[in-house]
Amino acid sequence: MANGHQASGVAAHRLPPEEIATNFTDLHAPLAPHEAAVAADRCYFCYDAPCMTACPTSIDIPMFIREIQTGHPEAAARTILAQNILGGMCARVCPTETLCEEACVRETAEGSPVEIGRLQRYATDRLMASGVHPFTRADATGKTVAVVGAGPAGLACAHRLAMLGHDVTLFDAKPKAGGLNEYGIAAYKSTDDFAAQEVEWLLKIGGITVETGKALGAGLTLDALKADYDAVFLGIGLAGVNALCLAGEDMEGVRDAVEFIADLRQAGDRSAIAVGRNVVVIGGGMTAVDAAVQAKLLGAETVTIAYRRDREAMPASRYEQDLAASKGVRLMFNVMPRALIGEAEVEGVMLEYTDVVDGCVSGTGETLPLHADQVFKAIGQTLLGAPEGLEIAGGKIAVDAQGRTSVAGIWAGGDCASGGEDLTVTAVAEGRDAAMNIHEELTSC
Amino acid sequence: MADLTTEFLGITSPNPFWLASAPPTDKEYNVRRAYEAGWGGVVWKTLGSEGPPVVNVNGPRYGAIYGADRRLLGLNNIELITDRPLQTNLEEITRVKKDYPDRALIVSIMVPCDEESWKAILPLVEETGADGIELNFGCPHGMAERGMGSAVGQVPEYIQMVTEWCKKYYSKPVIVKLTPNITDIRNPARAAFAGNADAVSLINTINSITSVDLDLMAPQPTIDGKGTHGGYCGPAVKPIALNMVAEIARDPQTHGKPISAIGGVTTWRDAAEFMVMGAGNVQVCTAAMTYGFKVVQEMISGLSQWMDEKGYSSTADFIGQAVPNVTDWQHLNLNYIAKAKIDQDACIKCGRCYAACEDTSHQAIWMKEGRVFEVNDAECVACNLCVDVCPIENCISMEQMAPGAVDPRTGKVVPAEYANWTTHPNNPAAVAAE
């Protein structure tokens, strides 16, 4: 017997397991072959296509769609993966509504873009299901590279380096490779253990040794890596979570959203994950939406996202906002947490309305108490454990356009590095481009 | 609502939409359903001589060409004439005509090319009470190998001879159905009318192989590893049919003669186009085979609405209206000068016009900062390719240059007067202007 929405406090098993299973199925069902043919037929094969320009990895989108159209989805997948080796995951998690699909001329023409994301998934799923890895390694160069962090940036960098003939050791602090793909994305966006399957498929290129449970400061030092390898790439992500800086943050029921999201991804039985009856998520990014939606899917009675600026300023796209609203999440704008209410266990959040003047947020003095037996913090992550000696810019490792840090022989990319949006797809681009630059450096006389 | 009643060869039908002789008109059951759905007339599937009927293949007899979303654009068939006994067909025709006196019912016939065969079947058909006959000189497969169908339609002398026999042994209108598998369609049409045919109908299907199975290395449809050419029809053949209808309509020898147009008629607009090009009515097959008999209801309402909008009270008001505007290339006005113009508000910036012009035409479109596409009048020859490849209707248009203006491409003033190739200085055979 499930506990139901109204069970007080933080409780597991609010919904029957079957309902939980249904709630966490694919957000977008995969396209069937005929659906893919119809969707592909809508592509105009634009000249110097705007979608391709909008893609951080510059996938030749009109070409891969044409390959689907002509009955060769595996060839389409090769076109995608040549630019973006994590094209399968990006097809699932990219905010296409603000990237390729926003740029699609059919969006301009009729407000309904070609379904590029779903077509990309169609192609990559087909190729991966066939068990084929479409790339082979170049002749061995004899060079070795250490890639620290097996998230999107590290995986893309490692794959490209291995393909170019270098030997790569890929380190990660966590027990599994994948980074945010494995631990940081809503479960309904990566069903059937896709992140792990993709890593396994990617490693088929060969030449990559994965060592998990190792991180800088936890078994690794930059000096040792520099000494042992010909080059080092850092894709260590943002391991720190911003605090609310309010009293009572250590109360029972106050958690980091990223931790909740990771638990959901790693859980064998999601219905065993405890969730509050009344949940408040503080923040306005994808992490906030992923946590809020999943809290609702687990059976929370009320879930509120409290964001301190207005709707337009919210980092989560309008599409993500509407997704949250469609699942019953209440979106509150222009409110910030003033105090956490409760003794040992959190009982509520005191919100204060805000004004934004010249980009600065300030309280209006009007407050609003919200019941909450669970509060998720999703106000951003920070760089943690960056090695000494590297120049930091804006809280991130400073890199140039090729991913070079201030120290020769060390490259960085993904969320931990300066520049770019913190998206899976930009991390892939940065890892790939750093690999190309490393290759150039290692093979030039 | 405009009255669609159409008279063709003295046969009145409530609308100009007839079902062509083909599988949809093979038997009483279908024809009754067609009339109930609203078809103005039916040409019964081709009858052969008395005796054991022909047999069809028992494997696939159709092949298709598709557009987006498996929209059927072209259909190919290797079916033969009716494979049911003559007597059965005649009895059914008699019953159906009796029950639907207000609808046209024409009987298609194909028998061997000798007078006795025609003399034998025509009285039997006459007894059914059907309104007329159509001579199947068109089928390009199967029957042609036996000296019938298109084998007759490709020899004008045979057409005239058989038509004369029919006029001799049959009292009602005789329509001669022509094959497009010929170099110049005017010759068989002239022959039909020389034999006193009341009308011609065209086009029958076009010789075709729709596709090849790349595993079996055989044409499709494939029967036990082999395939054969079939007859092609459907929306894809409409341009070919329109031209052939126009050729007959504007040929001085056949101008004004009744034509029943066939070939890819799918909507009211297709029908209107054939009729302004000189057809007295249209015959439809593939559209019905694709969508069912109900499709005629859109044709009826669409044609009627168009007639209301244009103020036509009867189909006779517009039949043949476009024929005077079909001319030879040499008579086109070379002093008519146009330039492409891109409506920047309508443009969605796909760049297809640019790719087409830059790669395959005249390098007359600029791609400017911010994906702004503009026409360079100094290079534009008004070829229309940009209009044709643009996915947005009316985004690119061809605008005529006013006489007196200077064409930036040639640096010459646009003349006000008409001038064509026959008098052009570059024409070695130019006739000096008087």
Side-chain angles (χ1 to χ4, degrees):
Chain A
M1 190 64 190
N3 289 319
H5 299 295
Q6 283 141 292
S8 58
V10 180
H13 305 292
R14 286 185 179 275
L15 301 176
E18 316 81 68
E19 196 174 336
I20 297 274
T22 309
N23 284 353
F24 282 87
T25 50
D26 249 319
L27 180 60
H28 301 291
L31 292 172
H34 181 71
E35 289 177 298
V38 173
D41 269 330
R42 293 187 66 234
C43 176
Y44 285 140
F45 203 73
C46 293
Y47 179 81
D48 192 14
C51 53
M52 198 173 153
T53 311
C55 175
T57 54
S58 306
I59 292 171
D60 191 342
I61 294 165
M63 189 55 74
F64 95 68
I65 292 180
R66 198 164 177 80
E67 287 167 321
I68 291 175
Q69 221 177 4
T70 59
H72 282 162
E74 296 83 2
R78 275 196 297 275
T79 300
I80 294 161
L81 298 163
Q83 287 296 113
N84 178 342
I85 196 65
L86 298 180
M89 182 58 88
C90 287
R92 289 160 165 81
V93 303
C94 261
T96 52
E97 65 278 5
T98 60
L99 297 170
C100 52
E101 292 181 16
E102 183 182 53
C104 176
V105 299
R106 292 200 85 134
E107 173 64 27
T108 314
E110 62 213 69
S112 171
V114 173
E115 291 183 284
I116 300 167
R118 294 181 82 194
L119 285 165
Q120 179 165 320
R121 176 169 172 187
Y122 176 78
T124 51
D125 277 2
R126 298 233 141 194
L127 183 109
M128 287 174 66
S130 70
V132 170
H133 187 93
F135 305 106
T136 50
R137 297 188 70 193
D139 291 343
T141 60
K143 304 285 184 183
T144 60
V145 183
V147 173
V148 185
L155 285 167
C157 183
H159 184 273
R160 182 57 62 104
L161 288 167
M163 200 167 95
L164 294 168
H166 310 292
D167 287 323
V168 181
T169 308
L170 180 58
F171 298 99
D172 201 277
K174 292 261 170 56
K176 290 189 205 170
L180 287 180
N181 287 1
E182 176 61 41
Y183 294 96
I185 285 161
Y188 51 79
K189 290 178 182 169
S190 172
T191 54
D192 301 324
D193 215 10
F194 180 77
Q197 284 185 41
E198 189 177 43
V199 169
E200 192 187 324
W201 168 87
L202 178 147
L203 293 174
K204 284 185 186 168
I205 184 78
I208 303 173
T209 307
V210 180
E211 294 198 20
T212 53
K214 289 189 180 168
L216 288 171
L220 301 178
T221 67
L222 194 55
D223 286 343
L225 292 174
K226 274 182 72 179
D228 294 347
Y229 294 88
D230 296 306
V232 178
F233 175 83
L234 302 176
I236 59 179
L238 300 173
V241 177
N242 286 329
L244 297 173
C245 301
L246 295 174
E249 222 163 310
D250 54 351
M251 274 188 286
E252 193 72 25
V254 181
R255 290 188 78 187
D256 291 332
V258 289
E259 195 183 289
F260 173 65
I261 292 167
D263 283 357
L264 271 159
R265 285 293 298 283
Q266 302 306 314
D269 173 14
R270 287 197 188 94
S271 58
I273 303 255
V275 69
R277 174 180 179 177
N278 298 301
V279 176
V280 174
V281 182
I282 311 290
M286 300 280 274
T287 302
V289 171
D290 283 0
V293 169
Q294 294 189 107
K296 200 81 185 98
L297 299 179
L298 283 176
E301 185 181 14
T302 73
V303 178
T304 305
I305 289 179
Y307 177 55
R308 63 197 183 121
R309 295 172 188 268
D310 65 8
R311 188 189 275 283
E312 277 61 47
M314 198 174 198
S317 67
R318 183 59 192 252
Y319 174 84
E320 289 286 337
Q321 295 172 28
D322 290 349
L323 170 71
S326 77
K327 301 294 181 191
V329 172
R330 176 191 186 196
L331 298 168
M332 287 191 74
F333 300 99
N334 288 105
V335 287
M336 63 181 183
R338 179 48 69 209
L340 295 167
I341 306 164
E343 305 275 323
E345 293 174 7
V346 72
E347 289 164 20
V349 182
M350 181 62 73
L351 298 175
E352 181 181 359
Y353 286 94
T354 66
D355 271 334
V356 181
V357 180
D358 295 333
C360 290
V361 178
S362 60
T364 64
E366 188 187 347
T367 56
L368 171 77
L370 281 189
H371 276 298
D373 27 40
Q374 198 168 33
V375 174
F376 289 119
K377 297 179 280 181
I379 56 171
Q381 283 114 265
T382 51
L383 182 61
L384 202 67
E388 298 278 311
L390 295 180
E391 192 188 318
I392 303 292
K396 296 190 170 195
I397 300 170
V399 292
D400 66 9
Q402 280 76 41
R404 281 188 290 235
T405 67
S406 58
V407 175
I410 301 177
W411 283 258
D415 291 358
C416 71
S418 63
E421 295 168 77
D422 290 350
L423 295 172
T424 307
V425 66
T426 45
V428 171
E430 289 162 15
R432 176 199 70 190
D433 294 347
M436 294 310 292
N437 193 249
I438 292 169
H439 173 69
E440 207 173 295
E441 200 121 312
L442 295 186
T443 53
S444 64
C445 312
Chain B
M1 221 169 114
D3 180 10
L4 296 187
T5 303
T6 303
E7 198 170 299
F8 187 73
L9 312 181
I11 305 161
T12 305
S13 48
N15 61 59
F17 304 109
W18 291 8
L19 277 173
S21 168
T25 62
D26 187 32
K27 55 187 179 299
E28 181 175 359
Y29 178 83
N30 304 49
V31 175
R32 283 184 186 272
R33 283 174 59 81
Y35 284 149
E36 291 303 323
W39 290 91
V42 156
V43 183
W44 201 277
K45 185 166 166 83
T46 308
L47 310 184
S49 297
E50 196 144 22
V54 303
V55 294
N56 273 299
V57 293
N58 298 297
R61 51 183 91 165
Y62 302 115
I65 294 291
Y66 295 109
D69 201 4
R70 266 177 88 85
R71 180 173 287 261
L72 192 140
L73 298 181
L75 188 69
N76 152 298
N77 84 86
I78 55 167
E79 183 166 302
L80 304 183
I81 63 173
T82 184
D83 54 11
R84 305 186 316 141
L86 176 64
Q87 201 52 42
T88 308
N89 278 306
L90 293 172
E91 284 164 13
E92 290 183 3
I93 291 165
T94 309
R95 276 202 297 274
V96 171
K97 182 61 209 178
K98 198 158 151 267
D99 288 350
Y100 294 90
D102 65 321
R103 310 299 173 94
L105 180 49
I106 307 295
V107 179
S108 174
I109 308 173
M110 182 196 292
V111 294
C113 213
D114 58 69
E115 190 168 353
E116 282 311 304
S117 297
W118 290 92
K119 190 179 172 183
I121 195 169
L122 288 169
L124 302 176
V125 173
E126 182 120 29
E127 275 175 32
T128 63
D131 301 298
I133 58 172
E134 184 180 81
L135 314 186
N136 182 342
F137 293 159
C139 275
H141 50 268
M143 303 310 290
E145 296 164 17
R146 307 173 202 181
M148 291 181 271
S150 65
V152 180
Q154 286 163 344
V155 184
E157 292 78 3
Y158 291 174
I159 292 173
Q160 182 176 342
M161 176 178 75
V162 177
T163 307
E164 282 169 353
W165 294 335
C166 290
K167 290 302 288 181
K168 188 162 145 194
Y169 299 113
Y170 184 74
S171 70
K172 289 180 178 173
V174 175
I175 305 168
V176 176
K177 187 166 179 177
L178 304 178
T179 175
N181 300 307
I182 189 160
T183 315
D184 187 342
I185 196 67
R186 293 174 301 179
N187 293 319
R190 288 169 187 162
F193 290 117
N196 286 320
D198 296 279
V200 290
S201 57
L202 70 159
I203 58 173
N204 204 308
T205 56
I206 302 171
N207 264 331
S208 61
I209 287 174
T210 36
S211 51
V212 178
D213 186 317
L214 292 176
D215 295 316
L216 295 175
M217 286 293 172
Q220 291 176 314
T222 314
I223 291 146
D224 193 23
K226 305 279 183 194
T228 186
H229 66 88
Y232 197 46
C233 54
V237 311
K238 180 190 140 192
I240 297 164
L242 259 180
N243 173 57
M244 290 188 166
V245 167
E247 285 294 287
I248 295 170
R250 73 190 188 94
D251 177 11
Q253 293 186 45
T254 52
H255 177 69
K257 296 284 191 188
I259 301 171
S260 181
I262 312 165
V265 175
T266 309
T267 67
W268 71 267
R269 179 180 289 276
D270 301 325
E273 290 178 18
F274 274 111
M275 292 172 79
V276 299
M277 206 55 98
N281 68 7
V282 293
Q283 295 184 32
V284 178
C285 174
T286 309
M289 291 185 75
T290 311
Y291 304 109
F293 289 145
K294 186 182 167 184
V295 74
V296 74
Q297 288 160 21
E298 177 282 323
M299 297 181 191
I300 291 168
S301 70
L303 188 66
S304 178
Q305 180 180 328
W306 173 72
M307 286 170 64
D308 285 344
E309 285 165 6
K310 296 289 179 185
Y312 297 124
S313 56
S314 113
T315 54
D317 291 352
F318 60 85
I319 288 170
Q321 290 298 303
V323 178
N325 294 327
V326 186
T327 185
D328 294 335
W329 189 96
Q330 63 177 348
H331 295 128
L332 296 175
N333 185 5
L334 293 174
N335 287 344
Y336 174 89
I337 295 167
K339 299 288 174 188
K341 182 114 176 77
I342 301 172
D343 177 348
Q344 296 299 336
D345 292 333
C347 177
I348 60 169
K349 306 190 186 303
C350 69
R352 278 177 31 167
C353 58
Y354 176 80
C357 192
E358 190 68 14
D359 288 355
T360 71
S361 294
H362 300 269
Q363 297 75 49
I365 293 179
W366 286 305
M367 178 169 169
K368 293 186 172 174
E369 189 64 30
R371 297 183 71 82
V372 174
F373 298 95
E374 283 174 17
V375 176
N376 176 4
D377 286 350
E379 298 295 340
C380 179
V381 302
C383 74
N384 212 46
L385 183 64
C386 54
V387 174
D388 294 334
V389 301
C390 178
I392 303 297
E393 204 174 353
N394 300 324
C395 173
I396 310 181
S397 51
M398 283 296 156
E399 291 191 357
Q400 183 183 1
M401 290 193 73
V406 174
D407 179 354
R409 187 174 72 86
T410 59
K412 291 183 182 155
V413 173
V414 177
E417 64 279 6
Y418 162 92
N420 64 40
W421 176 246
T422 61
T423 54
H424 196 278
N426 289 15
N427 181 359
V431 200
E434 292 296 323

